Amino acid sequence: MIPATRNGLLLIGVLFHLVYLLSIFDIYFRSPLVHGMTPHRIPLRAPAKRLVLFVADGLRADKIFEPYHNQTTDTTDELAPFLLNKVRTQASWGVSHTRVPTESRPGHVAAIAGFYEDVSAVTKGWKMNPVEFDSVFNESRHTWSFGSPDILPMFAHGATDKNKVDTFMYPPEFEDFSGNGERLDTWVFDEADRFFDRAAEPGSDLGRMMHQDQLVFFFHLLGIDTNGHGFKPYSPEYLNNVRHVDRGIKRLVDRFEQFYGDDGETAYVFTADHGMNDRGAHGDGHPDNTRTPLIAWGAGVARTLPTADGQTAPGHTAFSQPWKLDAYERKDVNQADIAPLMSSLIGIPLPLNSVGTLPLSYLNATDEFRARAALVNALQVLEQYRVKHDQKQQTEMFFKPYAPMHQPTNSPEHILARIRQAIDMRQYAQAEADCSSLIALCLEGLRYFQRYDWLLLRSIVSAGYLGWIVYSLLFIFRKYVLTLDPHASANAYRSSSSALIGVVGGLVFVAFSAMFYRQQSPAMYYAYVAFPAYFWTEVAQQLPLIQQIAADYMRTSVRWRPFAFVAAYVVVLEALVYAYFDRRVYSVAFALLAIAWPVAVSPKFRRRHPKLLVLWTCFCLLTSVFTLLPVERNDHLGLVMAGGALITASGFVAWHFSPRFVLPPPGMPVKQARAAIAFDRLIILIETLLVGIATVLGPLTSKATETRGHLPRMHQLACWAVLIVSTLLPLLHGSRLNQAARDQHFLYRLITIYLAFATPFVLLTVSYESIFYFAYSIVLLLWLTIERALYFERAEEQLLAPAEQTRLSSLLTPQTSLSSKKMGGKTGAPVLDTVRRLELSDMRTGIMFLFFVNVAFFGTGNVASLASFSIESVYRLITVFDPFLMSALLLFKIFIPFFLVSAVFGVLNRSLELPPFSLFLFVLSTTDVMTVNFFFLVRDDGSWLDIGMSISHFCISGLFVLFTIVLFVLSHALVGSVLIPSSPAQASNKGTKKQR
């Protein structure tokens, strides 16, 4: 049944949204990995005995290929002369295109294991190996790896033989973003020298092992990524690190050739896991993050010959035009193609889960070897298709095979027969073409089975979301809208056929469950169908309540108004959906609010509050600017200090006018009252001074870190001290965490919260964010003031009555009568506890709240920036790589604007004398209109930027219920017990009930 209490509805809502959040991973991103395949290897002698893999973490393609022009000396040179010489004389080269998320782990998995780690691995937790997979290292005879403790262990732990992969790693504390990252790569090169020295010792077991075949040497070079994060990709540190890596690779190549006596049996591959954008971040699908270099040379690798007469070689685009490599063919690959290339060079089986296509143009081998290598590649992908096909056929009740793979003349068996016949007849080009076609066909077949259950699951999930919307709206109508007895049993509004409807709903669930059991579906499928079965059963059982709603509507005098309000509300929700893709929607919305709202209010309101409306217009227009500014922003300490100065100035203004809203406790003697007022004013002054200190301390710390090459200890401690003290002040002074705290005027409480969180926000700011914080906070305060004034005007009374003080001892418990409360054993001031029902006009307040919640994030960023936000925001507090602490600080900064909007909305909800949480519940019930939009907009193909964005959109919208509940709890804790002035009408008409 529909729960009788708010908490019951919230519990169901939280469970529903948490379960359905996982639905996109079962529908769109089910793990593509299958097991039980037979490994395949090329039945010919491999061209190389050993492979050397260099991965320059965070190196984007243009930074190594493009000549660097030094504006200071007005000279142009190459950052990587050794590698570029290989491009011109011995190598095949091109751009390796990565996929999102452009992070280190997925990039290394793609290059070394040959598949793109599916997003659903995240749901299994951040484990060392959340999904089991095969890799080039695992298939090799032995692998030696050197580099970061963040990357090397996952391949060592994933090996079938734990002794097959040796790791040489520096300590984790070496990864300090405040220093020059070159030292990380220097450690790798020096450790490699020590490794060769040990191998060269007479009688060394290591030396004997290194003379076997099918060996892999892996060098992970993290310095470039570290300097990119710390100093940006255009900085001297980053560019010099590219030179350092080039020199180090030359040094290592010389050691290899010396150790093996130039035997010509070593193949070299140089690439990167991901790139980096200009603000020193990665993670999303920006081309700077997805385009990485690939250079291969040595045994078995084809040499790229220059074209004659300066003609442009194939493969070049406008992107590579500045590189001055037009005469050498650019051979681009997908990142997963590197794994089969490396396996073919040293003659080991391809990784079993690889979906890469062997780039045959990189091989310097006989035509037969190339054709047989392509056949092995096709057989390995076909094995995955066959396993997937058999799994589906065994479990599906009404199995439909992938039709193109079952054509009489186009089946895998026919294609394989043609390929083998072509190889036997030495028609190698035809065999290669048929292998390529078979691989493409198998990949499409795998994709078909990945999408096999889409129609059914998407229908179920859609029914679940729509069911939740109707189910929760019925609760809101019964509790907060209709003039029904709020204490009546919920059974009073149930259909007489409830039992029969319940049986039908149960049979529907049982039927789906039986089908899922037969198909061996995941356990979550049962939960997906349970919710819509429950919701729609309950809705059908509430037919009398629906009839009552319809009857109330028919009694309204103007029947078009509800439809108009609902239509406008849905249009706004759809506009907010579009705003996820284009932040400029918020600029348009602020401009409309700045102009339309002052025009829409009554002439009497405009006469009474001209300054208020002028301020509203000005600050709305100011705030609209921020969603027009670029998300990717560089450090700008001047803007940081400007924002801090504005907040500090506003704090001094608040302190100056604080006697108007700093109130002593009721009944306190005059002397003690003055002391209490002085103390409260002192808190505002202290918080203002802390903001001023942060405004100066932050840029000073950044400059000192840049000058010294590390974060000075005293600066770090000072930043932490200021952040902690400022954050704790609102919690210890007036919040519910301090049970002894006395009630405060709502305006005083909001100002202290605003100033307290301004300090950490300024410390974590790198550009214009602090100015946004100032403007956004003022707009919120103006919104609260206008809403209160409009509500009082509707009561036909004056704006504020400071003499009438209303104690809100709780923002959670609704009161229904005028009474007195005892505080500390004494009778307190009169408590105006009247609450009213939700009205049609309250939809405006709800959509405004939803709008400001969205602006809290999109004001300075977007969903892509959340996935790849700039890590230098935390460099004033910590520089040694600590993903958990760094992420916590960045999330804290992102959440600060939400703290403000939750506190303002908590005060506003009570100012409008609405039942606590009623507007929250209304917003929760309706925002799933946005979630359904994002559910159908989730993509698993096309641009990888679009795929990552679509996942983020759905997750953010799906988690809004939980997030809004957290906001309400925060508002309850932060605001605490506050005093809210009431209108004189409410004071003089004590006991009268508010008319709808």
Side-chain angles (χ1 to χ4, degrees):
M1 60 179 292
I2 292 181
T5 66
R6 177 194 69 215
N7 291 339
L9 180 70
L10 289 177
L11 178 61
I12 293 173
V14 169
L15 291 175
F16 166 69
H17 284 86
L18 287 178
V19 169
Y20 267 47
L21 186 69
L22 303 177
S23 64
I24 62 166
F25 299 108
D26 280 323
I27 297 174
Y28 299 99
F29 302 104
R30 295 188 64 185
S31 176
L33 300 187
V34 290
H35 301 284
M37 290 81 69
T38 301
H40 295 274
R41 59 184 300 174
I42 303 170
L44 298 174
R45 183 182 181 277
K49 286 186 176 180
R50 64 200 73 92
L51 172 80
V52 182
L53 172 63
F54 302 101
V55 176
D57 203 303
L59 176 62
R60 56 195 240 193
D62 59 330
K63 291 301 180 182
I64 187 172
F65 292 130
E66 186 174 345
Y68 170 64
H69 178 70
N70 190 323
Q71 296 182 351
T72 303
T73 60
D74 196 27
T75 58
T76 301
D77 62 350
E78 294 176 342
L79 296 178
F82 174 76
L83 290 172
L84 291 178
N85 181 62
K86 293 297 182 183
V87 168
R88 297 185 178 98
T89 58
Q90 300 180 33
S92 285
W93 71 284
V95 174
S96 169
H97 296 275
T98 72
R99 294 184 178 182
V100 293
T102 46
E103 302 288 351
S104 291
R105 178 192 168 93
H108 282 87
V109 169
I112 298 171
F115 75 93
Y116 301 102
E117 192 168 32
D118 59 296
V119 183
S120 64
V122 176
T123 64
K124 298 178 172 61
W126 293 111
K127 301 177 182 177
M128 183 68 68
N129 289 79
V131 289
E132 294 300 324
F133 60 86
D134 193 19
S135 70
V136 172
F137 296 173
N138 187 52
E139 295 292 349
S140 69
R141 187 182 304 276
H142 199 91
T143 294
W144 291 272
S145 55
F146 304 78
S148 168
D150 298 328
I151 298 299
L152 270 54
M154 67 177 173
F155 293 104
H157 289 218
T160 53
D161 181 357
K162 303 302 179 183
N163 297 320
K164 181 178 288 189
V165 180
D166 289 337
T167 59
F168 302 87
M169 302 175 291
Y170 41 75
E173 56 269 20
F174 271 37
E175 299 178 17
D176 188 339
F177 291 105
S178 65
N180 195 314
E182 283 188 11
R183 66 187 183 282
L184 303 177
D185 300 335
T186 300
W187 186 96
V188 171
F189 298 139
D190 291 344
E191 185 65 25
D193 281 335
R194 291 188 287 269
F195 174 81
F196 276 109
D197 291 341
R198 292 193 298 271
E201 294 175 357
S204 169
D205 292 336
L206 176 60
R208 285 193 295 270
M209 291 179 62
M210 289 176 63
H211 280 87
Q212 297 175 323
D213 61 355
Q214 299 182 347
L215 303 179
V216 176
F217 299 86
F218 171 46
F219 299 93
H220 176 238
L221 306 170
L222 185 60
I224 293 175
D225 182 77
T226 303
N227 281 330
H229 285 307
F231 303 99
K232 306 295 186 300
Y234 48 79
S235 66
E237 289 82 2
Y238 184 95
L239 301 176
N240 287 333
N241 206 148
V242 176
R243 291 189 177 97
H244 181 65
V245 165
D246 183 70
R247 291 192 296 268
I249 290 176
K250 180 180 184 303
R251 170 176 147 196
L252 279 182
V253 169
D254 291 342
R255 288 302 301 262
F256 272 101
E257 298 302 329
Q258 178 186 1
F259 183 84
Y260 289 108
D262 294 318
D263 62 355
E265 300 281 356
T266 307
Y268 301 91
V269 174
F270 172 84
T271 188
D273 52 350
H274 56 76
M276 185 170 290
N277 59 38
D278 282 341
R279 60 190 179 90
H282 53 82
D284 60 22
H286 191 281
D288 285 342
N289 296 331
T290 61
R291 293 187 295 213
T292 61
L294 174 63
I295 304 173
W297 72 95
V301 179
R303 175 190 174 190
T304 301
L305 298 175
T307 58
D309 302 326
Q311 296 180 348
T312 300
H316 285 277
T317 63
F319 174 61
S320 57
Q321 185 176 0
W323 300 350
K324 299 182 179 180
L325 296 172
D326 296 357
Y328 303 90
E329 182 181 0
R330 173 180 152 190
K331 307 172 184 177
D332 287 9
V333 301
N334 292 320
Q335 194 171 43
D337 300 341
I338 299 175
L341 172 63
M342 295 190 296
S343 298
S344 300
L345 287 173
I346 56 176
I348 60 176
L350 275 65
L352 295 176
N353 300 113
S354 172
V355 295
T357 301
L358 174 63
L360 295 172
S361 61
Y362 275 71
L363 292 179
N364 178 23
T366 64
D367 291 340
E368 181 184 3
F369 183 92
R370 288 159 52 95
R372 293 193 180 277
L375 175 58
V376 167
N377 190 185
L379 288 171
Q380 179 268 327
V381 179
L382 178 61
E383 279 287 327
Q384 297 181 68
Y385 171 81
R386 284 173 169 166
V387 170
K388 194 75 171 178
H389 173 277
D390 293 345
Q391 289 178 350
K392 277 292 180 185
Q393 189 175 33
Q394 292 173 5
T395 58
E396 290 296 322
M397 295 179 63
F398 309 102
F399 177 70
K400 293 182 179 180
Y402 180 55
M405 292 286 276
H406 292 268
Q407 301 294 332
T409 59
N410 201 41
S411 67
E413 291 74 18
H414 282 86
I415 298 176
L416 287 175
R418 289 203 307 267
I419 294 172
R420 291 190 172 101
Q421 182 181 11
I423 292 176
D424 292 340
M425 298 177 64
R426 298 184 178 181
Q427 297 175 353
Y428 299 122
Q430 181 61 44
E432 293 174 13
D434 287 341
C435 287
S436 179
S437 299
L438 180 57
I439 292 173
L441 195 61
C442 290
L443 292 177
E444 285 298 318
L446 287 171
R447 182 168 183 76
Y448 168 78
F449 288 122
Q450 282 292 107
R451 293 184 166 191
Y452 195 86
D453 297 323
W454 268 31
L455 178 61
L456 174 64
L457 290 177
R458 292 207 292 187
S459 300
I460 291 173
V461 171
S462 299
Y465 277 116
L466 295 177
W468 160 256
I469 293 173
V470 178
Y471 172 84
S472 54
L473 283 176
L474 286 178
F475 174 89
I476 293 171
F477 269 96
R478 181 166 60 83
K479 293 288 289 184
Y480 302 123
V481 178
L482 298 181
T483 54
L484 305 172
D485 181 3
H487 301 293
S489 170
N491 292 325
Y493 314 111
R494 296 177 72 83
S495 171
S496 58
S497 304
S498 292
L500 178 60
I501 295 172
V503 170
V504 173
L507 289 176
V508 171
F509 174 71
V510 170
F512 275 100
S513 298
M515 181 181 67
F516 291 151
Y517 180 79
R518 167 65 178 81
Q519 296 178 173
Q520 300 179 16
S521 301
M524 292 303 297
Y525 283 27
Y526 300 89
Y528 297 151
V529 77
F531 280 107
Y534 170 73
F535 290 150
W536 287 109
T537 299
E538 286 295 322
V539 169
Q541 291 175 336
Q542 298 292 320
L543 183 59
L545 180 60
I546 298 173
Q547 292 172 339
Q548 179 66 46
I549 295 171
D552 275 18
Y553 166 72
M554 295 303 296
R555 287 194 293 269
T556 58
S557 58
V558 186
R559 295 178 184 174
W560 63 267
R561 290 188 67 225
F563 281 108
F565 268 87
V566 171
Y569 191 87
V570 172
V571 168
V572 172
L573 288 176
E574 292 299 324
L576 290 177
V577 170
Y578 185 74
Y580 275 65
F581 303 93
D582 190 342
R583 295 165 61 236
R584 292 175 296 181
V585 170
Y586 296 106
S587 297
V588 175
F590 269 118
L592 290 175
L593 286 173
I595 298 171
W597 209 6
V599 172
V601 298
S602 66
K604 182 174 66 174
F605 190 95
R606 288 196 295 271
R607 288 194 303 270
R608 285 181 175 179
H609 313 290
K611 295 180 181 179
L612 179 62
L613 294 177
V614 169
L615 285 174
W616 169 259
T617 299
C618 293
F619 276 93
C620 277
L621 293 177
L622 173 61
T623 310
S624 70
V625 173
F626 295 100
T627 47
L628 298 175
L629 298 176
V631 174
E632 295 189 1
R633 50 194 177 271
N634 299 324
D635 290 358
H636 199 303
L637 298 182
L639 291 177
V640 175
M641 297 188 71
L646 287 172
I647 299 171
T648 304
S650 66
F652 281 118
V653 171
W655 175 79
H656 177 74
F657 289 101
S658 59
R660 299 186 181 185
F661 51 79
V662 174
L663 304 174
M668 179 176 284
V670 175
K671 184 176 181 180
Q672 296 180 10
R674 290 177 177 173
I677 291 174
F679 179 77
D680 285 349
R681 295 190 68 203
L682 178 63
I683 293 295
I684 293 180
L685 186 60
I686 291 174
E687 290 182 340
T688 302
L689 293 175
L690 286 174
V691 176
I693 293 172
T695 303
V696 177
L697 182 61
L700 283 179
T701 303
S702 297
K703 289 292 185 182
T705 302
E706 181 180 348
T707 302
R708 303 183 188 183
H710 65 88
L711 176 60
R713 186 66 172 171
M714 292 304 298
H715 285 257
Q716 182 183 27
L717 293 175
C719 288
W720 275 108
V722 170
L723 182 145
I724 292 173
V725 171
S726 180
T727 305
L728 290 179
L729 271 178
L731 301 179
L732 300 178
H733 180 65
S735 76
R736 294 186 179 273
L737 298 180
N738 182 3
Q739 297 298 323
R742 62 182 176 81
D743 296 354
Q744 300 167 346
H745 192 284
F746 79 93
L747 188 56
Y748 172 81
R749 187 68 190 146
L750 291 178
I751 288 174
T752 55
I753 293 172
Y754 156 68
L755 292 173
F757 286 115
T759 298
F761 197 85
V762 170
L763 281 176
L764 295 169
T765 290
V766 297
S767 186
Y768 59 79
E769 305 102 291
S770 56
I771 304 177
F772 165 78
Y773 181 86
F774 165 75
Y776 177 73
S777 302
I778 301 298
V779 168
L780 286 178
L781 185 59
L782 292 171
W783 172 51
L784 169 64
T785 306
I786 292 175
E787 289 282 8
R788 282 170 46 81
L790 287 172
Y791 178 60
F792 291 159
E793 185 191 53
R794 287 170 56 199
E796 297 182 350
E797 298 293 341
Q798 63 185 11
L799 176 63
L800 292 173
E804 299 290 338
Q805 299 168 9
T806 301
R807 177 184 299 276
L808 297 184
S809 57
S810 174
L811 287 178
L812 287 177
T813 306
Q815 309 293 334
T816 57
S817 64
L818 188 68
S819 62
S820 297
K821 286 192 177 287
K822 292 185 178 180
M823 301 298 293
K826 298 180 180 180
T827 301
V831 184
L832 185 66
D833 292 329
T834 304
V835 295
R836 61 181 178 87
R837 315 300 285 178
L838 278 175
E839 300 175 0
L840 201 59
S841 59
D842 292 321
M843 293 179 68
R844 183 198 68 236
T845 308
I847 199 65
M848 288 282 283
F849 167 69
L850 183 60
F851 171 74
F852 281 118
V853 167
N854 280 268
V855 172
F857 177 72
F858 285 97
T860 59
N862 60 19
V863 180
S865 70
L866 180 60
S868 59
F869 41 67
S870 185
I871 198 172
E872 68 266 15
S873 296
V874 304
Y875 285 170
R876 295 158 191 161
L877 300 166
I878 181 173
T879 54
V880 176
F881 183 64
D882 187 333
F884 297 103
L885 180 57
M886 287 179 168
S887 298
L889 288 170
L890 288 166
L891 289 174
F892 178 54
K893 174 192 173 183
I894 291 172
F895 286 157
I896 284 176
F898 296 113
F899 298 160
L900 291 178
V901 73
S902 67
V904 169
F905 194 67
V907 172
L908 179 60
N909 191 85
R910 192 58 181 180
S911 294
L912 302 183
E913 296 178 340
L914 289 169
F917 222 82
S918 57
L919 273 181
F920 274 106
L921 287 177
F922 174 72
V923 172
L924 295 185
S925 302
T926 54
T927 50
D928 276 331
V929 173
M930 300 172 61
T931 307
V932 173
N933 275 269
F934 291 128
F935 174 73
F936 283 98
L937 290 172
V938 171
R939 301 182 59 181
D940 70 337
D941 59 359
S943 163
W944 282 93
L945 173 61
D946 293 339
I947 293 173
M949 292 282 283
S950 68
I951 297 171
S952 300
H953 292 164
F954 174 78
C955 291
I956 290 175
S957 184
L959 287 172
F960 187 81
V961 168
L962 182 61
F963 186 59
T964 307
I965 294 172
V966 172
L967 286 182
F968 182 80
V969 173
L970 280 173
S971 71
H972 177 57
L974 289 174
V975 175
S977 297
V978 294
L979 300 171
I980 300 180
S982 64
S983 70
Q986 296 161 331
S988 61
N989 295 296
K990 297 176 182 179
T992 60
K993 190 174 182 180
K994 181 73 177 175
Q995 297 298 318
R996 291 178 62 242

